[in-house]
Structure formats: structure tokens, C-alpha cells
Amino acid sequence: MSKWEENIRRVTPYTPGEQPNRPGMIKLNTNENPYPPAPGVTGALRALKRDELLRYPDPTASALTGALAREYGVSPEQIFVGVGSDDVLAMAFMTFFNSGRPILFPDITYSFYPVWAEEFRIPYECVPLDADFGIRKEDYFRENGGIVFPNPNAPTGVELAAEDVEEIIRRNPDVVVIVDEAYVDFGAHSALRLVEKYDNLLVVQTFSKSRSMAGMRIGFAVGNPALIRYLNDVKYSFNSYTMNRAALACGVAALEDRTYFEETTKKIIETRENAKRVLREMGFCFPDSQANFLFITHPELDAKKLFEALRAADIYVRYFAQPRIDSYLRVTIGTDDQMEALYRFLRDYTKGLK
């Protein structure tokens, strides 16, 4: 090892989902929305003038924060935006988790949490989910340096009841509690209504899933104005221009079309509920997801072998080689046609089991 390598910060990096680009593939592995963004988003891109790209974007992202404030009934001072919810969450980890006490998050959850904790030298404890992959609120009623969890959880899709979310926040008034709501628009209950009640709550959401804009990278947080000021102080010390002009314009356009947003999320929910019925008929089991994916297992099938067989057929799902969940596959809800192709494959694959 070279001498200079002794001072390198080493972490085990997050492993993103595979991003294949093959004609005719069925991509159900990264929880992207199968429907295009609102029509106004394309219009906003076309309306961008060449000269606008010569100038730095608004560092306060005022057009987008204003549109978000109107959409969610809060003040602009309660909104923070970033390059996807990953950027927002990383800033929040850096800003709020500095007490030296361990932060708490579930043992089966979004796998970026331990990466950020290690990168920023934040001590942490992984709190085991129960046998049904649920968060036990009582496990978070103890001394800690902060709490973060997705609701619905990922990769399980399980929602923690709204009253249990509130009790976790109420029992931890001396630390920041982050509720990561990347999948909340697919039928779950948001904690946004609690922001006015608890000054230690930060709710994080994204445009990547329900607004079909994973490629544009827009995330946001809603919280007490003091929390948002602290986040902005860190952001401006790190990178003042996180949001580019195209993303700002497209984000505003997406928020202006509430009808389209409701129509597409409704379609995904309906397809998901049908998928639950079809997959149960084939012998698959899964937690009751309130997200845009299902976390499936089959008592007679090896999940890794099924994952590889699907991949060979150009159907991409997600497999996690981790304790407790290595017998499961996470399947994003696609269009009805994509799901029918998946069902045909699975019926053929499981034919010999009966």
C-alpha cells in the first residue's frame, strides 16, 4: 500500500440497481414509474432557451420551493430541495446526526443509510424488523442520536401506521426524526401533517417514483423552518447550485398537473392490487405492500435462480443477497402489459411444481 493510501476514507459503497438498455426488455428492478412524466414536463424542456444555460441556476430554487409549498400547504421556508432524495438525505445525515450517539434505522431498509453513516463517521445501530418485516415502534423508545426510516419501508413495501410514526416522533423530542417517504404516493399515509406539530420532524419525498422523473433527479424535504435553514447552511457550504435550470423548470411543471399525477398513481395502485391476486394464485407470498413494488417469495423456488432465469429472459427484477431476505425478489409494478409478460414467464417457470 502506498503511504498516501493510509489517509483515504474507505466505505462500502451503495450498489444501485442494474440499468440495462436492451430492446424489448421488461425493466422491473429499480422502482421507476412505467408511465411518462406529465405532458407539461416536456413542454418545460422545450421552452428552455439556450441563453438560460449560460447562467447559473437560482441557488435558492425559489420557483420549485414555491410550487412545492403551494402543493403541500406549507411556507417556502419549510422546503428544502436537492438532486434526488438521496442528495437531500445525505445533507440531512451530515447536518443533523452529529451527537456521537448512534442513530437508529431498520436492519432491512434502504441500503444507502449505512453507507452515509459510515461515510460521515456517524455511529449507528440497525434495529431488527419483526417476523412480518414490520417496524416495532417500541424499539425506537430509547436514547439515540437520531432516527431515519422509510415509510413505506424498502425493499419490503410495509407501511408503519400513522399513529405509530407519530409516537416515535413524540418519544424522541431531543433528536431529529427523518421519515423517508419515497413511496408514500402509492396508497400510504404521509407524516406531512405532523410537521407543524413537531419541530424535530423532517419528511423527505422524491419526484423519481410517483412523478415519473427518476432521470431528472429531484428530491425535497419538508420541516420546521429552523431545520431547513440548517440544511441550507450545509448545502451552501458544499454546493450552492445543486439544482440545474432544466430540473427546476420540469419540477414546477410536474407539480402543476395534479390530475395527471393522480391518474398515473391510481393506475399503478390498481395494477399492484391485481398483481397481488395473480401472484398469490401462483403460490407466491409477500408483505402487503403500499409502494410501487412487491417483495415476493415462493416456498418451493430458489429466489436467486429465479432472478437469473428472469434476467436471461430480459425481465429484470431485484435480488438482495442479504440475511433474512435472500429468498425474496423485489418486483417493480410496471404497465399491465409488462406485468402480463411477467405472469406468463412465472406460470411457465412454476408449471412443474403442481
Side-chain angles (χ1 to χ4, degrees):
M1 180 184 291
S2 299
K3 190 70 176 173
W4 57 264
E5 290 182 89
E6 295 176 6
N7 298 314
I8 297 296
R9 176 166 293 186
R10 291 179 175 83
V11 295
T12 302
Y14 171 74
T15 303
E18 188 176 5
Q19 292 292 343
N21 186 18
R22 295 169 60 85
M25 70 177 183
I26 297 175
K27 191 171 183 298
L28 306 175
N29 67 328
T30 51
N31 297 341
E32 294 147 325
N33 196 311
Y35 301 106
V41 172
T42 305
L45 278 175
R46 288 184 179 138
L48 277 175
K49 298 180 175 60
R50 257 188 331 179
D51 290 351
E52 290 183 75
L53 302 183
L54 300 173
R55 309 295 179 196
Y56 283 111
D58 172 13
T60 68
S62 58
L64 182 56
T65 56
L68 284 163
R70 291 189 295 275
E71 175 71 11
Y72 293 103
V74 296
S75 71
E77 292 74 28
Q78 292 177 272
I79 302 284
F80 177 85
V81 298
V83 185
S85 59
D86 288 343
D87 181 42
V88 174
L89 286 162
M91 291 284 181
F93 269 58
M94 202 186 315
T95 305
F96 300 123
F97 296 158
N98 297 291
S99 71
R101 295 187 299 274
I103 64 171
L104 306 178
F105 49 79
D107 65 334
I108 300 169
T109 194
Y110 186 32
S111 52
F112 233 137
Y113 297 162
V115 174
W116 288 318
E118 290 173 14
E119 184 173 5
F120 301 136
R121 301 295 190 262
I122 301 166
Y124 66 93
E125 291 182 20
C126 296
V127 182
L129 299 179
D130 66 22
D132 298 318
F133 294 140
I135 290 174
R136 290 182 294 244
K137 62 182 178 180
E138 296 84 2
D139 292 343
Y140 295 83
F141 299 168
R142 58 189 171 94
E143 185 178 10
N144 62 78
I147 294 170
V148 57
F149 58 90
N151 200 37
N153 197 8
T156 65
V158 175
E159 179 186 12
L160 181 63
E163 58 269 23
D164 293 343
V165 172
E166 181 167 10
E167 192 166 2
I168 289 173
I169 300 163
R170 183 172 60 80
R171 293 284 197 115
N172 290 278
D174 299 328
V175 299
V176 172
V177 177
I178 301 174
V179 183
D180 180 357
E181 295 187 343
Y183 302 100
V184 75
D185 293 322
F186 300 105
H189 297 85
S190 177
L192 281 171
R193 63 182 181 83
L194 301 175
V195 164
E196 301 296 339
K197 189 173 179 181
Y198 299 98
D199 63 4
N200 63 321
L201 169 63
L202 191 75
V203 177
V204 178
Q205 293 190 16
T206 179
F207 281 52
S208 295
K209 317 301 183 186
S210 56
R211 297 190 187 274
S212 308
M213 295 174 70
M216 192 56 74
R217 312 307 299 129
I218 303 173
F220 65 97
V222 183
N224 178 277
L227 290 182
I228 302 306
R229 284 196 300 273
Y230 289 129
L231 274 172
N232 276 317
D233 286 347
V234 171
K235 169 190 168 179
Y236 294 144
S237 302
F238 182 72
N239 180 0
S240 300
Y241 302 106
T242 56
M243 302 292 295
N244 65 61
R245 285 178 176 265
L248 292 172
C250 291
V252 172
L255 290 166
E256 288 173 346
D257 198 337
R258 181 79 193 177
T259 300
Y260 183 84
F261 164 76
E262 291 174 349
E263 287 173 351
T264 53
T265 52
K266 182 171 181 282
K267 275 197 274 190
I268 289 169
I269 291 168
E270 289 172 349
T271 303
R272 180 192 69 206
E273 294 307 301
N274 182 63
K276 290 177 182 179
R277 179 186 61 78
V278 174
L279 291 168
R280 281 194 192 103
E281 289 173 356
M282 284 189 267
F284 286 92
C285 308
F286 39 84
D288 188 26
S289 173
Q290 296 301 309
N292 69 333
F293 58 84
L294 295 176
F295 198 49
I296 68 171
T297 187
H298 194 291
E300 299 180 61
L301 296 177
D302 182 286
K304 190 169 189 290
K305 289 179 180 176
L306 175 54
F307 163 76
E308 291 168 348
L310 284 161
R311 192 175 184 277
D314 271 347
I315 301 174
Y316 293 84
V317 298
R318 192 81 190 264
Y319 173 70
F320 299 90
Q322 297 172 215
R324 295 188 69 189
I325 60 172
D326 57 0
S327 61
Y328 286 79
L329 298 177
R330 193 191 67 191
V331 180
T332 304
I333 301 301
T335 64
D336 288 334
D337 287 346
Q338 289 173 329
M339 299 305 288
E340 287 297 333
L342 172 69
Y343 305 150
R344 284 194 297 273
F345 178 93
L346 292 175
R347 286 190 184 103
D348 287 342
Y349 192 86
T350 58
K351 203 182 307 182
L353 297 178
K354 297 181 180 179

